[in-house]
Amino acid sequence: MCASVVHTFPSSPPMTHQPTTVGKGDTLFTKLLWTTAAGLLALLLIVLEWTRPGLPTPLRPICDLRVLDHFIKEARDAEVAMKSCREGCSLSDSVTVPQTTVDFDVWEKKNTSTLALSSFCGKALEQAQEVQSGLWLLQQALSLLRTSVTNTAMHSHIDNSIRNLLSINAVLRSLNIQEYTPPASTAGLEGTWRVSSATDLLQVHVNFLRGKVRLLLLDAQACQQDVS
């Protein structure tokens, strides 16, 4: 059986004013900052490397949420850029996107099987399928947005968002989640709705990563094995 995991989210530390003097402490802080940034960059490079076609599933799970946090930040950057875009930034047609609201009671009770598959148990199987379906829908929608938008400044944001979705799929594969088989059509998919504006699409993108994707990674059994 899968053990229940209770997650606590630490509150942000209070912001305090720091003096602008430069000394040994500042040097140590700078080194720590660079070390943290270098560690995150290394993780991102590993994830991006694993998204290359034909490469096997990584042996070790990717459980560092800083990777996802980086993708969320870049999704927000794309949303902000789209809101300030004035020309050549429209979506040519409405697209199907995943619902982003999370009913925590329903989320925890999801259960399509009593048997475990790989490192995921019944309820997590359905959660994983919901997230994978949402990622696929977002990838399709962002691809349409890419062909609709003529603003070159937005192209890099959209391309980056699509690459990040592929990287998240690589993270899921590292957690032994069964590969998702996309449906032949989006018609009849549960838990979806349609949006007709680029800003709405990018807002859904941000909220989906912040919500259901993050919850799935927090509950991943492969990341709980070393937790005592």
Side-chain angles (χ1 to χ4, degrees):
M1 295 179 63
C2 290
S4 300
V5 179
V6 178
H7 301 291
T8 58
F9 297 87
S11 57
S12 301
M15 296 184 64
T16 57
H17 175 70
Q18 298 292 336
T20 57
T21 58
V22 177
K24 293 183 178 179
D26 297 280
T27 303
L28 179 61
F29 174 77
T30 302
K31 289 181 178 178
L32 179 60
L33 182 62
W34 277 106
T35 301
T36 303
L40 177 56
L41 177 60
L43 281 168
L44 290 171
L45 289 174
I46 290 171
V47 173
L48 292 172
E49 178 69 12
W50 279 336
T51 62
R52 290 172 54 192
L55 291 182
T57 300
L59 296 178
R60 293 185 61 82
I62 303 172
C63 299
D64 194 327
L65 287 178
R66 289 179 301 169
V67 174
L68 178 61
D69 290 339
H70 179 80
F71 294 156
I72 292 172
K73 178 187 179 301
E74 292 192 334
R76 284 173 174 158
D77 291 343
E79 181 188 7
V80 170
M82 182 60 75
K83 286 181 178 178
S84 62
C85 187
R86 294 291 175 264
E87 187 176 352
C89 306
S90 60
L91 185 61
S92 61
D93 196 6
S94 61
V95 291
T96 302
V97 294
Q99 292 282 357
T100 59
T101 54
V102 179
D103 184 324
F104 287 95
D105 289 335
V106 174
W107 181 262
E108 289 300 321
K109 291 177 182 177
K110 285 181 181 292
N111 188 5
T112 57
S113 172
T114 58
L115 298 176
L117 179 62
S118 297
S119 61
F120 272 70
C121 293
K123 69 173 182 179
L125 280 174
E126 188 174 350
Q127 292 168 353
Q129 290 169 356
E130 183 174 341
V131 167
Q132 289 172 304
S133 172
L135 291 172
W136 177 75
L137 287 172
L138 287 172
Q139 186 179 341
Q140 302 305 305
L142 288 172
S143 295
L144 177 61
L145 178 62
R146 177 62 171 79
T147 61
S148 302
V149 167
T150 58
N151 186 292
T152 54
M154 284 304 306
H155 283 169
S156 61
H157 284 290
I158 299 170
D159 290 341
N160 201 37
S161 295
I162 294 173
R163 283 194 300 268
N164 289 346
L165 290 178
L166 295 173
S167 297
I168 292 172
N169 280 322
V171 172
L172 297 184
R173 287 198 302 273
S174 82
L175 302 179
N176 296 323
I177 297 179
Q178 183 179 1
E179 187 122 13
Y180 177 72
T181 302
S185 170
T186 59
L189 275 180
E190 296 182 358
T192 65
W193 60 302
R194 295 186 68 82
V195 297
S196 55
S197 76
T199 52
D200 286 346
L201 168 57
L202 294 179
Q203 185 177 52
V204 168
H205 178 214
V206 173
N207 291 338
F208 191 74
L209 298 187
R210 291 175 62 244
K212 293 182 179 180
V213 174
R214 190 176 185 86
L215 283 173
L216 181 66
L217 296 182
L218 283 170
D219 283 331
Q221 291 297 309
C223 295
Q224 304 300 329
Q225 292 174 355
D226 297 328
V227 178
S228 56

